[in-house]
Amino acid sequence: MGKGQTKRKREKQGIRSNERLTVLLSHARIRARVKEMAKEIRRDFPDEPMHLVGVLKGSVLFLADLARELRGEVSFDFISVSSYGKGMDSTGEVKMNKDLDVSIEGRSVLVIEDILDTGLTLKYLLRLFEERKPKHLRVAVLLDKVERRIADVKADYVGFVIPNEFVVGYGLDFDERYRNLPDVCVVRLGSRGQTKVEV
Ligand code: IMP
Ligand code: MG
């Protein structure tokens, strides 16, 4: 998805004329890493029924692939949250849009996130879930932008540590677009290629 793409090809992939996408992680690399992550999780919890809690909507593709690689008993649930005041004036305020459908008490919960950025969303979620007395509470993220961390949180399973760039694809969006791309790509705006998108 580099600079050499024809206009027609770009349009087919839904890329707007002022946006430049560069592949950061190919789908093949992601698939291989997700497979390894599933093994790491099963090594830590060999016979445990795992309750996967996906954070909507970005985690959906990652959860779907990870779940298929996990052997044994697996169930899903989803939560939806939005965070405010991101970037320079981050307030850490998180609002819940949709709570879990079932109780996590006594379950081995694996929170699935697309990307760990400031960490404020995850901090909110972990506090919320801990109060509900799960048997185990672990976190798997596909991407970790370590440099951007504000909250003191860590994921137990990390797919890839990535630089401080705005990325899309494999579930991640820019204005709700690009979630369906199989690769994770860096988005840059404008013809001169400078990054103007801030999270
Ligand atoms: P945090 O609370 O700052 O860690 O926010 C994490 C959320 O911000 C993720 O679940 C994403 O929805 C969003 N986000 C952070 N960085 C990116 C990015 O590079 N691309 C797309 N979404 C992002
Ligand atoms: Mg998200």
Side-chain angles (χ1 to χ4, degrees):
M1 242 164 282
K3 280 176 188 158
Q5 268 202 331
T6 63
K7 191 165 177 256
R8 213 172 138 261
K9 218 167 157 191
R10 289 171 53 88
E11 277 167 5
K12 241 173 118 180
Q13 283 168 321
I15 304 172
R16 304 228 169 133
S17 59
N18 65 329
E19 295 167 359
R20 298 282 173 273
L21 267 66
T22 326
V23 175
L24 180 67
L25 302 165
S26 68
H27 186 64
R29 266 188 85 186
I30 296 169
R31 201 166 42 208
R33 182 67 191 121
V34 170
K35 213 171 197 169
E36 281 174 11
M37 290 176 85
K39 277 195 195 135
E40 289 168 24
I41 294 162
R42 270 295 172 222
R43 208 175 298 141
D44 295 345
F45 298 95
D47 303 309
E48 198 74 23
M50 298 303 293
H51 190 59
L52 308 190
V53 167
V55 185
L56 292 172
K57 302 171 233 176
S59 72
V60 167
L61 274 66
F62 176 39
L63 184 145
D65 285 347
L66 184 70
R68 276 177 285 194
E69 296 294 342
L70 281 173
R71 302 289 174 251
E73 197 177 317
V74 171
S75 52
F76 308 158
D77 204 348
F78 294 93
I79 191 164
S80 170
V81 290
S82 354
S83 38
Y84 295 110
K86 293 192 131 186
M88 306 287 284
D89 52 353
S90 189
T91 59
E93 204 184 311
V94 179
K95 183 185 135 220
M96 180 159 0
N97 305 318
K98 181 218 167 289
D99 201 346
L100 299 174
D101 290 339
V102 297
S103 165
I104 55 167
E105 190 175 337
R107 290 181 190 248
S108 294
V109 173
L110 185 64
V111 179
I112 313 286
E113 256 283 46
D114 50 0
I115 186 164
L116 191 47
D117 188 34
T118 64
L120 294 166
T121 309
L122 186 62
K123 189 163 188 167
Y124 167 89
L125 290 172
L126 289 178
R127 196 174 290 161
L128 180 79
F129 294 155
E130 264 155 19
E131 280 169 16
R132 299 179 180 183
K133 311 257 180 303
K135 181 175 172 192
H136 301 282
L137 183 58
R138 299 287 186 276
V139 178
V141 297
L142 180 73
L143 307 173
D144 190 350
K145 274 192 208 170
V146 179
E147 280 172 54
R148 294 256 310 162
R149 199 64 34 80
I150 294 173
D152 179 27
V153 283
K154 259 190 4 224
D156 302 283
Y157 307 96
V158 176
F160 302 90
V161 171
I162 61 162
N164 183 13
E165 299 258 26
F166 194 83
V167 290
V168 293
Y170 198 70
L172 291 129
D173 73 306
F174 173 39
D175 235 354
E176 293 301 322
R177 290 178 292 117
Y178 299 130
R179 292 194 196 273
N180 58 325
L181 297 180
D183 307 317
V184 168
C185 301
V186 173
V187 190
R188 293 203 173 101
L189 291 185
S191 51
R192 296 167 80 190
Q194 70 271 49
T195 308
K196 285 193 184 156
V197 189
E198 294 290 340
V199 192

